[in-house]
Amino acid sequence: MSETSPILKVMQPAEIPDAGLDLRTEVVIVGSGASGAVMAYELSRAGAKVVVLEAGPYIPSSEFQEHTQTAFETLYQDHGNQVNTTGDMVVLQGKCIGGSTVVNTAACFRPPDQVLESWRTEHGLENLSPEVLAPYFDKLESNLSIHQNEPHEVNYNGRLLLEGAKKIGIPASPTSRNVKNCALSGHCLAACRTDRKQSMLVTYLPWASELGATILSGTRADTFEVRDRRITAVNAIATDSTGRNKPVRVEADLVVVAAGPIQTPLLFQKNKLANSSGQVGLNFACHPSLAVFGEHHGPVYAWVGATITAHAGEIENPLRGGYLIEAAMADPVNTSAATDGGVGRDYLDFVANSKNFQSAITLIHDHNVGRVFLEDGRKRIEYDIDDRDFESMREALRGVARIYFAAGAKRVYLPTTRRTTIERESDVDSVINSLTNGKHKYRLASYHPQGTMRMGADPKRSVVGPDGRCHDLDNVYVPDASLFPSSIMVNPQVTVYGLASYIADQIKARG
Amino acid sequence: MAHALSLLDEPTLEEVRVGFKLFDYGAIVIGLHFRRFVNLSVERRVAYVHRWEKGVEIQRGIVDLLKKLTYLGYWKDIEAARAIGYQGPVSVEGGIPNLGNAPMPPTGQEP
C-alpha cells in the first residue's frame, strides 16, 4: 500500500459546509475509540446505518512522527496536559480518530475473574461472568491479532524483569499485545507509524466504514435533544483548522455515547441527563501508575523494542492487594517525567546513565474515590491517592525494587518529586516504609480512567444497566470504560472491546 | 518551554504564570536571597530548588512543574536525545513498510 493512499474515509471539518450538516441515521455514536469503533462495526455489520462523531482530528499513520512530544501535542487530550485538580497526576487519553487505542502500549489482558465476580456480587451483574464473556474475548483476540509476546519480542529490559521476578518468586510472564508483525520500534505511545499495532484506526473503524458507516472527525458532541426518555438528536460542533465552528445535527433512533470516562459523564452532566442516581461523574478510578528505574552496571536500552514486553505480580488477586508490574519502554522524555533525576549536574549524570536503566511501571486496583465534573464550564478531575491505595502502591514499589536488585541493579530510582534512591537491597523496606502519602510527592500518571457512569442492576446505585443502556433513557447506551463498577487493575482495552461487543449484541437482540 | 506553555488553556496558563512568579520572586523574601531566582548564581539556584522540593504542597507543585516543563522543552530536540544513545524515529529511516488496514473478519463470527 502506498504511504499516501487514503486508508480510512473520514469527513473532516473542512469538508463540512459553513451552514453545517443535518443528518438522519439509525445509530449515532459519540467517540471513535475502543468502544465506539467496536459498536460502529458490530452495528454496521448488523445492517444499521451508523454515524460516528469524533472530537479529535483524523491523523493517518503516515503522518505519525515517532516523537513523543509531537504525539502529545497532536494525538492526546489537552495536548497531553490533562491533569487531576491537584495537578500532580497526568491523565493521558488519546484524542484522535481511534482514541486511546492509537496511543496505548498495546498491552492486552482479560479482566481478572475476581473482578468480574465482585461485579456480580456487589453490583448485580450476573450477566458478565467469565463464561459469558469468553467468546467475546476469543473473537476480539482473533480479530486484533492479540498474542503473547514471542521470545524475539521481549527485549533485554523485559528479560531482566522475568529473571528478577523468578529469583524472588513473583509470578511473571511475557505480556500479550494486539500487534501484527511488530517492528519493535518502541514508539507505541507516539502511535504506530507502520500500522502494526492493531488499533481501531486500522481495524474496526475501516471495517465499519467499508460497511457504510459515516465517520466525522473534529466534531464535538455538545447538546442532546430529548423527548419522552429518548435522545432524538445530537448537536455537535465541527471546528476546522482556521477555528471556524460549523453546526452538525444528527437525528437518530439510537444513541451510543462512547466518549470515554471523562468526556462521557461531562456530556451527560452538561445536558442534565441520566442522573437520577446522582452517580454520573462519581466513582472515578484510574490505576494510578508509577515508573521505577533500576540502574545497572551496563546498558539495558529499555527504549529499544516493544513498549510493554513482560509483566509480574499477583494479577489474579486484585482484591487482595495485588499489583501489576510491567516492563516498559522509557525514552528520555518519559524517564524525565516519571522520576526526579535531580537538577544541574545531578540531572545530567542521571540522563547520561539512562541507557543503563531497567524500566517498569506499576498499576494497582485503586478504589473509586474520584469524580469528574464541570466547574464554571471547566473540566475537573478530582482524584487524590486514597490511603488504602497508597499501601498498595508501596507494596508494588517493594516488588519492583526487589526484582531490580535480584536482576543485578546497583541502584533504584523511586518515582518521587524529590530524588529518592535505594542503594542496596537491604534498604528496600526502610526506604519504602519511609514514604508517606501526600500531594505533589510522587510523579503520578494515569493511562486508564474508568468508572464514572457505573454499570449495575440497581438504578438507585448505578447509571447504566447490565445491558449497557442508561437506566433513565430508553434509547441511549454507554459502552466505554466509564461503566466499570470498579477498577480492574490490568490494562483495560480488552475489557472495553469485550463489553462493547457484548452490548452491541444486546442492542441487536432488542431489535 | 514557551511552546509547551502555549498549549495550555487560558485558565491553566494563568495559574502557571502566578505560580512561576511566586517561585521567581519568592527567592527575594522566602529564600532570603534578596534577588529574584533568575538573578541567582547557579549554586544558589540549585539550593533554592532543593528547598522548594522539601516545601509545602504548593511549593512542591510549582517546582515540579517547572522541572517537567524544562525536561520536555530540552528533549524536544531529538539530537539532544541521540547524544545519550536514544535512537529517535526508526521506521522511515529503516525503510519499515506500512502494513495498512487489517482485513475485515469473515462473516458469521460467533458470538
Side-chain angles (χ1 to χ4, degrees):
Chain A
M1 172 171 288
S2 156
E3 289 287 339
T4 54
S5 60
I7 58 171
L8 179 60
K9 190 177 171 190
V10 174
M11 181 182 285
Q12 305 195 50
E15 302 169 57
I16 295 174
D18 287 351
L21 275 183
D22 206 338
L23 303 174
R24 170 80 186 97
T25 188
E26 289 172 299
V27 180
V28 61
I29 299 174
V30 179
S32 70
S35 63
V38 169
M39 295 290 281
Y41 166 71
E42 293 291 353
L43 297 177
S44 295
R45 178 130 241 179
K49 190 177 174 192
V50 173
V51 172
V52 179
L53 304 176
E54 167 57 53
Y58 170 49
I59 302 181
S61 53
S62 58
E63 293 180 21
F64 297 157
Q65 297 182 28
E66 298 185 332
H67 185 258
T68 305
Q69 290 100 317
T70 303
F72 282 155
E73 291 168 15
T74 55
L75 297 167
Y76 283 70
Q77 183 72 43
D78 299 349
H79 312 292
N81 293 316
Q82 182 171 258
V83 294
N84 62 344
T85 305
T86 300
D88 62 356
M89 181 178 73
V90 63
V91 183
L92 295 171
Q93 287 182 292
K95 184 184 178 184
C96 54
I97 290 284
S100 295
T101 72
V102 175
V103 292
N104 69 14
T105 61
C108 290
F109 296 86
R110 292 189 183 191
D113 288 356
Q114 220 180 56
V115 168
L116 294 179
E117 175 62 12
S118 75
W119 289 4
R120 185 183 73 80
T121 58
E122 294 172 29
H123 302 280
L125 297 175
E126 304 280 349
N127 52 328
L128 299 184
S129 67
E131 294 73 29
V132 168
L133 292 178
Y136 292 95
F137 294 137
D138 290 343
K139 179 175 75 169
L140 289 153
E141 286 163 359
S142 168
N143 288 351
L144 297 175
S145 300
I146 295 173
H147 65 281
Q148 188 176 43
N149 279 325
E150 295 180 30
H152 73 278
E153 295 174 287
V154 180
N155 61 5
Y156 184 44
N157 184 53
R159 294 200 298 277
L160 285 173
L161 184 86
L162 294 172
E163 178 188 314
K166 185 178 179 185
K167 280 184 181 171
I168 61 172
I170 294 180
S173 63
T175 305
S176 293
R177 295 183 302 142
N178 56 324
V179 177
K180 190 159 61 178
N181 298 329
C182 183
L184 306 176
S185 71
H187 288 294
C188 290
L189 299 178
C192 187
R193 176 71 174 72
T194 55
D195 290 335
R196 281 127 203 285
K197 176 161 62 180
Q198 299 298 282
S199 73
M200 296 299 100
L201 188 62
V202 296
T203 56
Y204 280 76
L205 287 173
W207 303 340
S209 175
E210 199 175 325
L211 292 166
T214 301
I215 302 170
L216 281 74
S217 67
T219 304
R220 178 176 54 82
D222 187 39
T223 60
F224 298 137
E225 295 175 26
V226 183
R227 191 174 61 234
D228 301 331
R229 285 177 56 94
R230 298 175 69 84
I231 292 179
T232 55
V234 176
N235 291 299
I237 300 163
T239 306
D240 67 20
S241 57
T242 67
R244 187 181 308 154
N245 289 331
K246 303 169 182 179
V248 174
R249 180 177 180 273
V250 186
E251 199 177 311
D253 302 321
L254 191 127
V255 177
V256 176
V257 184
I262 294 170
Q263 298 304 328
T264 291
L266 293 180
L267 197 49
F268 282 99
Q269 287 173 354
K270 181 176 181 182
N271 284 276
K272 297 183 170 55
L273 272 181
N275 200 18
S276 64
S277 65
Q279 298 290 307
V280 172
L282 303 186
N283 310 307
F284 176 83
C286 63
H287 297 163
S289 178
L290 298 169
V292 187
F293 302 106
E295 186 176 347
H296 284 250
H297 293 281
V300 175
Y301 291 116
W303 53 62
V304 172
T307 299
I308 298 286
T309 53
H311 62 273
E314 299 275 358
I315 62 172
E316 286 304 320
N317 294 313
L319 305 188
R320 294 203 293 273
Y323 53 81
L324 178 58
I325 298 167
E326 295 178 340
M329 180 282 291
D331 67 13
V333 175
N334 290 306
T335 303
S336 299
T339 193
D340 183 42
V343 291
R345 188 75 240 172
D346 288 344
Y347 178 70
L348 293 176
D349 291 342
F350 172 81
V351 292
N353 283 333
S354 60
K355 65 178 177 299
N356 295 349
F357 288 178
Q358 183 177 358
S359 167
I361 60 167
T362 65
L363 299 174
I364 59 162
H365 173 63
D366 59 326
H367 291 77
N368 296 67
V369 297
R371 70 178 174 127
V372 174
F373 60 102
L374 291 168
E375 186 176 62
D376 300 326
R378 193 176 175 196
K379 172 179 60 184
R380 293 294 191 179
I381 305 169
E382 196 173 78
Y383 181 91
D384 294 305
I385 302 299
D386 187 88
D387 285 340
R388 294 166 295 178
D389 297 329
F390 186 70
E391 288 309 310
S392 299
M393 292 174 80
R394 288 209 295 198
E395 199 54 36
L397 291 177
R398 270 189 208 97
V400 183
R402 286 186 176 130
I403 288 172
Y404 283 3
F405 281 117
K410 64 177 182 178
R411 174 181 296 123
V412 172
Y413 289 91
L414 293 175
T416 50
T417 53
R418 179 179 165 220
R419 181 165 164 165
T420 307
T421 60
I422 308 175
E423 300 293 332
R424 59 191 68 80
E425 200 278 336
S426 58
D427 290 346
V428 169
D429 279 338
S430 61
V431 175
I432 302 279
N433 290 344
S434 72
L435 301 176
T436 55
N437 194 10
K439 297 175 181 177
H440 293 291
K441 287 187 173 183
Y442 303 94
R443 291 277 178 84
L444 295 161
S446 165
Y447 315 95
H448 307 153
Q450 53 196 286
T452 47
M453 298 284 287
R454 173 172 276 177
M455 180 187 253
D458 183 355
K460 291 178 184 159
R461 295 177 54 229
S462 57
V463 182
V464 173
D467 61 352
R469 186 156 53 103
C470 288
H471 289 302
D472 295 355
L473 295 162
D474 292 335
N475 71 331
V476 181
Y477 288 79
V478 175
D480 62 39
S482 60
L483 50 74
F484 291 6
S486 72
S487 74
I488 61 172
M489 195 174 81
V490 298
N491 302 56
Q493 66 168 333
V494 169
T495 307
V496 174
Y497 298 141
L499 289 179
S501 192
Y502 172 83
I503 290 168
D505 266 5
Q506 308 314 300
I507 293 171
K508 287 184 248 176
R510 206 167 171 236
Chain B
M1 185 186 295
H3 179 67
L5 290 173
S6 73
L7 298 171
L8 298 175
D9 62 62
E10 189 51 44
T12 305
L13 183 59
E14 186 53 31
E15 289 172 0
V16 171
R17 280 196 195 105
V18 171
F20 284 180
K21 275 186 184 169
L22 186 63
F23 177 81
D24 186 19
Y25 287 91
I28 298 171
V29 180
I30 305 170
L32 296 177
H33 291 300
F34 308 110
R35 289 180 180 189
R36 290 169 56 190
F37 172 79
V38 294
N39 294 326
L40 297 178
S41 66
V42 170
E43 292 76 17
R44 286 193 166 190
R45 284 185 203 176
V46 171
Y48 183 68
V49 166
H50 286 322
R51 283 187 60 185
W52 276 59
E53 288 171 350
K54 291 183 275 189
V56 297
E57 179 186 320
I58 188 170
Q59 288 178 297
R60 297 196 301 269
I62 291 169
V63 77
D64 201 45
L65 177 63
L66 186 60
K67 284 192 280 187
K68 283 193 279 196
L69 287 172
T70 305
Y71 303 149
L72 280 171
Y74 184 76
W75 296 114
K76 192 167 174 63
D77 180 356
I78 200 67
E79 293 309 316
R82 285 194 170 119
I84 61 166
Y86 177 65
Q87 79 275 20
V90 294
S91 294
V92 173
E93 289 83 348
I96 303 171
N98 189 312
L99 296 187
N101 296 336
M104 195 188 305
T107 53
Q109 273 198 320
E110 294 297 333

